[in-house]
Structures are given as C-alpha cells and as structure tokens.
Amino acid sequence: MNSHLFTQSRKIWEPQNGHGSRMDNLRHMINRKHGLNLKDYHDLHKYSVEDYTFWQDLWEYLGIIYSIPATSIVQPGRIPEIPTWFPGARLNYAENILFRNDDGTAVTAAREWGLVQHYSFRQLRGHVRKMAAAMRAHGLKSGDRIAAVITNSFDAVVIALATSSIGAIYTSTAPDMGTAGILDRYRQIQPALLFFDTEVVYASKTINLLPKISEVAYNLVPRGLKNVVLLPSTKTGRDVPSGELKNIPNSILEADFLKADAGRPLQFEQLPFDHPLFILYSSGTSGPPKCIVHGQGGVLLQNKKEIALVYGCTFDDCYFQYTTTGWMMWPLMLSTMALGGRILVYDGSPFHPSVEAFLKFVSDQGVTIFGTSPRFLTEVQARGLVPSRLAPFPSLRVLMSTGAPLNPPMFEWAQEAFRKDVYLASPSGGTDICSSFISGAPNMPVYAGETQAKSLGMKTQIFDPSGNDVEASGQPGELVCTRPHVSLPIAFWGDHEDKKLRAAYFDTYPGVWRQGDFIVANPETKGLIILGRSDGVLNPSGVRFGSAEIYTVMDQFTDAIDDSLCVGQRRSTDKDERVLLFVKMRAGHHLTAELADKIRRTIRSALSPRHVPEYIFETTDIPYTVNNKKIEIAVKQIVSGLNIKPSGTVANPESLQLYYKYRDIESVAQKESANHLKAKL
Ligand SMILES: CC(=O)CC(=O)O
C-alpha cells in the first residue's frame, strides 16, 4: 500500500444542516419500494451497480417528465458495450429543464464589467419559444446540428434549449477558441445553423470576432451551413453594421432571424431516451477532436442525479459554475433548472476587474452552490486572500472543485477560507460521459484530498495493467467502469462502424471502459484520489506515481512559483524514464539553486527519494487546454522526441515550442549554466 498517499487524509467536514438528506430520501424510497434494508451510502451504491432497476428508481425519484413510458429498463444496443436504455420511452430534455413556468428567477446573467440581468422561468420559456419557432420556420428539424460559438450567457441557454425542443443537436465552443479549433470540430459535424458572438470582452479587452466568423463561414457553407446568426455585441448590445454582412456568407442578424417567428407555441418533440442531444469534444492535444454524441435521457438523468443528490439542489438554490460553453460542466449546470433552481451564467475573467470583486459578486448573488477549480482556488490562496474576509457568502452551502485533482492542503485551505460548514465536493468524470465516475456523498464525512465516493450507478473500479482489481490493496491503477450506465456516449459523430469509439474506451481491457485516469482508493476511508492522467504516469526506476503528487508539494511554493508541470522523459538511449519538473515563476522571482534544492528536499521528505525530479527547469509558459486542463502528455511526447501538431484544443499552442529544446537536456543545462538543476540523486 502507498501509505504516503493517505497521510494527509484528515477529516475536515461532517454532514450537517440537512446535507445529504435527498440522498437519504432516495435510499428510503428504494427500501420501501423493494422491501430492502439499505443502511447507508455504501449499501445504496452497491445496489445501484448490481441492479439496473436503480435507474428506474432514479427516474421516478427525480420526477422525469415523459409522454410514453419505457417498455423495459435496458436492452442490447447497437454496440455490445453500450446498451439501449429505456426502449420505447418518449420524452424531451428541454421540457424537463423548463418544467417551471412562473416568475421565479431561472437565470442570472452577468458580464465581467458589471452588467447583471435576471430572467424568470416564464421569460426564459418565452425566449425559447420564440427561438424554437424561428428555427422551425427556417427549416431546422430533428437531428440537424445547431452550433454556437458563444460566451456563457443567457443567449446560449436559450439556443441550447430551443435546439433540444425541436429535437436538433446542440454543440458549442467558447469564442476564444481559434479558427482552426472551431473548424476541427464543426467541419466534422457539419452544422446547419451556427450562432456566433460578434464582439466579446475578456479580461477588459474587447475582441472583434468578425474576421474569425468570416473564415469559419467560408469553410462551413460548402458543407451545408445554411445560416450564420450574428449575435449583438455582448458589450454594447449593438448589431454588426449591415455593410459588414457581405463578408460573411449566409449571415443574418439574430433580430432578423427571429422575425421568422409567427407565434407558434412551444412544442417539445417527444423523442427516444437516446435521441442525440449534445455533441461534446474530447480534449486530445493532437489530431482532430473526437465528437462525442450524448443522448438526451442519459444526460438528463445523470446530471439531475448529481445536482439533486450531491449538491442537494431545490427551488431555493442558485448554482454558479465558472465555465465556458465548451466544457461538460456547462450542460451539467443546466439541470439545476430541472430541479427548480436558478443558474448564474458569468461571461468573463474571474480576475477582472479584480478577484476580490468577483468573490463579492458570488456572495452578493446568493450563490448556494459554487463550482470552481483547483487553479482558481490556488490563485486566490497565493494572493493571500481569504474569501470569507472579503464577503460573508451567506447562502453558500456547497463549494465544488473540478477540472483537476484538489490536493489535501487546498482542501484544508478552502474549507477554512470559505466557511467551516460549507460542503466541499471534488467530483471527477469527464466529457466522455458528461457526468462523474466519482463524486460527493454529502451524508458522509469529507477527508482532505479525497473524493468521497463512487457515483451512484457507476461501477468504478481500479485495475492494474493485467486487469486485476487492486482497489482494496491501496495500490494505484487505472480508473475503469465495469458496467454500463445511462450516459455512455451514443456514438462519435462520423464514426460509422463505431471503431474509434470502441478503440477509445474498450480496447485496453476488452469490454471494460477505461477512462485514462490514474487513481487510488484509501482502504480506510474508502475515499478516492485521482493522481493524474494514466498516459502521464511517471515511472522512474519502475515506481509508478501520478503528477498530482508532485503538484501537491509544489503548492507550498506558491509565493514564488506560479505554476508547474511534471512529466516523464523517455529516450531510446535511456534504460529508464526520468522525471522533469518545469516551474513558471511569479514576476520578480527566479529559480535559484537554493529554491531548487528546497523543492527537492520537500519532495523527498513528503513523498520519497524516488519522486525527486532529476531536473528542474524554469519555463515561461505551461500549456493548457481550452477547458483549463494542464497538458502533460504532449509535453512528455515532445521531450521524448515526438513532433506534435497541436490541435485547437490547446489554449496556448505556442507554449509547446518551449519544450522541444529539452530533448537534449544536458546541453540546455550547460547553456543555462544550471548545474544545480540536476538533482544529486
Ligand atoms: C466532472 C469532471 O470530470 C469535470 C472535468 O474534470 O472535466
């Protein structure tokens, strides 16, 4: 057992103030309905992965709206690993999201520079009706792809729900994605309609998107794009001057597009459970992204499950997820409204005009569930800020961090820095399933650094390379899911024989889903720790460990170090893999011999001598994906001798160039006269 992984697993929170009561209610309902005696979360989880009836129970408990019931829960599907769920059922995702039609607030839409607008459920429904009617009048129909390049805004919510109401398939990316990235995605899925923001603001800079729109439109019109709908400037609310339209083929202003609405009532197409709803994109850093098609019923059931049971959402809640429209957390957030709750959509940087103002805003808006990331929390901590001293956060119940592992010191800090009674959750899943494999269980204690439990319905296990379950031994291994669940992708777009889909997930362990995460379970607490991506596992002298272990230690150096990247280097001349650590310094700091030594000593004592990087280098930039995930694999490949053509998923592709020189490390170390960079192992 790797006991050093669990030394910081201290209990930091106990269930209180009704946290977990919805989870308990579901367990009681299942006990009553089936004459069972499930006593706690672990019993409930066991039932949920042994009996597919669980999904029917969940359907009933969550009050899914449908017009025709299913003939059974599950039957064999087109792909052996992916069954068909709820055959015969007819329902509509948007109808479920829009079940409220009253004056309660559905959406609060905020822009970085201070504009805040509230929309009631009745108003939202009105906007969706109008948009859906215009879509139908323009000839859009079930199965058509409707794409958007759009900020996290009220418009995005309206377009997504209108698309679902007519049975079309919605897909979106953030406007900061480069033209190549947009085309890598939308050339594959060939949208019939494309909504585009025309002018946006990020970090106080106004960005004119017209040149990008023109290039995208010229590429997509020959592939079936009927209209590019130009949204007004997010800053001024003004439309693009009509003279500019001629540069964009098939363009139409949103106001003109909506004129096609002849008052047709909102009608929710009644569609099968696995009718395609969203296309999301895998964040591979080279090669074209995989276009992952998700079905409406799976997304609805899984996301509603997470928001109801883990975050305890009711009519009184407001969920604010800091996200772009291209990340799976965006659709997850929409399900809040299916529980009667409000969502807050925020367009902009959390650091402009200042992070203090941003945190006050979250508090003032009465956010009850705040979804953020380790990167944001680390930055707040590094600036010496304590959120609870900036604002009272009177309504905050749940702080949720995802996108990367949250390490034990950050758990401890966040718990103290917001409020001791706030429930801190750190789920992990992915775009591939539009939900989580491991998540919170608010009726159990939280231990620093650990995700509390396997998600309900998800038979998450830990396999060694030979496919043995190593979970009980405390050894790390591959995160696998050994039983089908409702939000398996229904296809990759264009992958006609499902070869790519099966190769992506089911090849390593035939028939078993391999997620590509390296994970360990604490045998004592049963908590789970993601240690990094499994392709990025570090393997010096045959000791396997994840980069997250190193990042946890690096968080002790945030006063001088802004960010770090840890990768293995394999070269044909080496017998072994060596570990390289790159550090990006804060302004005014440099990597000195003393600091490098201190880092090494700290890693040695916190982890082990085998974890100590062979080299530590200062770098000026660290690559990230557009979804804010650190890119290790591409850097590992580059320093190991491969040439990489970055995909549009890389937010800062030029940063990858910085790493080619490390193929010849000895000469870099010499040139930089940085003898101290090589560890004395
Ligand atoms: C829930 C998640 O898995 C989010 C992510 O990390 O992409």
Side-chain angles (χ1 to χ4, degrees), residues 306 327-329 332 402-404 427-431 435-436 438 627 629:
E306 190 87 9
W327 191 19
M328 55 135 307
M329 297 307 287
L332 175 82
T402 192
S428 182
T431 299
S435 64
S436 65
I438 59 174
N627 288 339
K629 290 179 193 281

Side-chain angles (χ1 to χ4, degrees), residues 251-282:
S251 57
I252 179 169
L253 297 177
E254 187 193 30
D256 292 332
F257 181 81
L258 292 173
K259 281 184 189 150
D261 161 36
R264 184 185 169 132
L266 183 57
Q267 180 196 340
F268 298 105
E269 293 298 322
Q270 297 301 303
L271 301 159
F273 186 85
D274 60 0
H275 183 81
L277 170 70
F278 292 131
I279 301 178
L280 304 176
Y281 303 90
S282 72

Side-chain angles (χ1 to χ4, degrees), residues 280-351:
L280 304 176
Y281 303 90
S282 72
S283 44
T285 45
S286 58
K290 298 180 188 84
C291 307
I292 305 170
V293 187
H294 283 290
Q296 58 161 1
V299 170
L300 177 65
L301 215 43
Q302 287 274 31
N303 291 355
K304 214 175 160 187
K305 174 191 84 176
E306 190 87 9
I307 296 195
L309 300 178
V310 180
Y311 311 139
C313 179
T314 66
F315 275 42
D316 297 330
D317 276 288
C318 171
Y319 177 21
F320 170 32
Q321 176 63 50
Y322 185 78
T323 179
T324 68
T325 53
W327 191 19
M328 55 135 307
M329 297 307 287
W330 194 82
L332 175 82
M333 165 198 79
L334 292 184
S335 287
T336 307
M337 292 183 284
L339 289 148
R342 165 170 68 113
I343 57 172
L344 192 160
V345 293
Y346 178 85
D347 164 29
S349 159
F351 298 104

Side-chain angles (χ1 to χ4, degrees), residues 399-665:
L399 180 66
M400 189 266 283
S401 166
T402 192
L406 189 67
N407 61 43
M410 281 312 297
F411 257 88
E412 300 247 6
W413 175 83
Q415 187 71 70
E416 289 286 325
F418 281 84
R419 257 204 346 262
K420 278 202 161 121
D421 62 325
V422 166
Y423 168 55
L424 181 50
S426 172
S428 182
T431 299
D432 323 77
I433 56 162
C434 198
S435 64
S436 65
F437 288 108
I438 59 174
S439 188
N443 44 5
M444 298 206 297
V446 173
Y447 291 85
E450 296 183 359
T451 299
Q452 286 172 288
K454 299 173 182 178
S455 305
L456 291 182
M458 309 301 276
K459 193 154 189 210
T460 308
Q461 291 181 253
I462 304 177
F463 275 10
D464 72 7
S466 316
N468 303 307
D469 189 330
V470 293
E471 179 176 337
S473 69
Q475 295 300 321
E478 290 279 354
L479 189 163
V480 295
C481 189
T482 55
R483 196 175 156 89
H485 57 86
V486 292
S487 67
L488 285 163
I490 54 174
F492 283 174
W493 194 266
D495 178 25
H496 299 298
E497 289 167 13
D498 302 302
K499 282 198 182 131
K500 285 191 196 151
L501 189 151
R502 295 182 74 190
Y505 306 114
F506 297 108
D507 258 12
T508 310
Y509 305 107
V512 167
W513 179 282
R514 171 189 172 269
Q515 176 61 15
D517 284 331
F518 193 53
I519 183 174
V520 69
N522 184 339
E524 229 163 85
T525 62
K526 308 266 182 290
L528 299 133
I529 306 174
I530 299 275
L531 300 168
R533 291 293 289 168
S534 34
D535 296 346
V537 161
L538 299 152
N539 198 4
S541 319
V543 184
R544 299 175 82 221
F545 61 93
S547 54
E549 294 183 58
I550 303 287
Y551 300 142
T552 299
V553 175
M554 294 310 292
D555 274 1
Q556 297 179 33
F557 296 93
T558 47
D559 48 343
I561 296 177
D562 181 22
D563 203 358
S564 59
L565 181 80
C566 188
V567 298
Q569 182 183 45
R570 275 201 161 268
R571 297 180 313 171
S572 52
T573 48
D574 296 330
K575 285 195 300 298
D576 208 0
E577 177 173 292
R578 54 187 178 185
V579 177
L580 314 182
L581 176 66
F582 297 96
V583 291
K584 182 177 167 201
M585 307 302 295
R586 290 193 181 274
H589 291 268
H590 279 292
L591 178 67
T592 59
E594 291 70 39
L595 181 57
D597 252 2
K598 192 166 172 205
I599 293 173
R600 264 189 227 108
R601 272 187 276 113
T602 316
I603 293 177
R604 182 177 286 118
S605 74
L607 303 172
S608 84
R610 305 276 189 95
H611 287 75
V612 177
E614 189 162 336
Y615 284 94
I616 305 177
F617 290 104
E618 185 172 335
T619 186
T620 50
D621 205 2
I622 287 183
Y624 272 86
T625 69
V626 288
N627 288 339
N628 229 343
K629 290 179 193 281
K630 218 176 263 194
I631 296 175
E632 292 169 351
I633 313 297
V635 174
K636 175 177 177 162
Q637 289 170 336
I638 287 171
V639 298
S640 303
L642 279 180
N643 292 337
I644 296 289
K645 186 173 172 295
S647 73
T649 296
V650 187
N652 49 346
E654 55 306 326
S655 65
L656 289 172
Q657 293 304 323
L658 299 170
Y659 295 88
Y660 279 89
K661 66 180 180 184
Y662 296 103
R663 289 172 174 187
D664 184 5
I665 283 203

Side-chain angles (χ1 to χ4, degrees), residues 143-269:
D144 282 343
R145 275 78 60 216
I146 297 182
V149 180
I150 194 164
T151 57
N152 186 12
S153 56
F154 180 67
D155 276 335
V157 176
V158 169
I159 297 163
L161 294 178
T163 300
S164 158
S165 76
I166 68 166
I169 309 169
Y170 181 72
T171 189
S172 53
T173 66
D176 62 357
M177 171 153 306
T179 307
I182 295 169
L183 288 174
D184 275 353
R185 288 158 174 71
Y186 293 173
R187 261 201 211 111
Q188 295 189 64
I189 60 129
Q190 304 187 339
L193 189 62
L194 174 62
F195 290 83
F196 228 122
D197 269 325
T198 51
E199 186 176 68
V200 295
V201 177
Y202 190 83
S204 312
K205 283 198 205 80
T206 302
I207 303 146
N208 171 12
L209 294 170
L210 292 181
K212 192 184 274 187
I213 303 175
S214 174
E215 200 179 335
V216 169
Y218 272 108
N219 270 276
L220 295 183
V221 165
R223 292 176 169 82
L225 181 64
K226 291 188 198 138
N227 277 127
V228 186
V229 183
L230 302 178
L231 301 167
S233 161
T234 63
K235 174 82 189 166
T236 62
R238 282 201 286 271
D239 276 325
V240 173
S242 52
E244 299 272 2
L245 296 186
K246 63 180 183 316
N247 300 324
I248 303 171
N250 295 9
S251 57
I252 179 169
L253 297 177
E254 187 193 30
D256 292 332
F257 181 81
L258 292 173
K259 281 184 189 150
D261 161 36
R264 184 185 169 132
L266 183 57
Q267 180 196 340
F268 298 105
E269 293 298 322

Side-chain angles (χ1 to χ4, degrees), residues 39-108:
K39 293 200 177 60
D40 55 18
Y41 183 87
H42 297 297
D43 283 356
L44 177 61
H45 182 267
K46 188 161 179 292
Y47 166 78
S48 78
V49 297
E50 284 180 350
D51 192 335
Y52 287 131
T53 310
F54 166 74
W55 295 107
Q56 175 68 38
D57 299 334
L58 192 64
W59 175 301
E60 289 165 20
Y61 179 76
L62 294 175
I64 300 296
I65 299 166
Y66 60 96
S67 54
I68 303 183
T71 50
S72 63
I73 297 173
V74 65
Q75 70 181 29
R78 189 185 76 242
I79 306 174
E81 296 87 352
I82 303 183
T84 300
W85 293 93
F86 297 103
R90 289 292 179 273
L91 68 156
N92 183 278
Y93 172 85
E95 183 171 18
N96 276 271
I97 303 291
L98 291 172
F99 83 101
R100 273 184 78 171
N101 189 14
D102 57 33
D103 295 326
T105 309
V107 182
T108 298

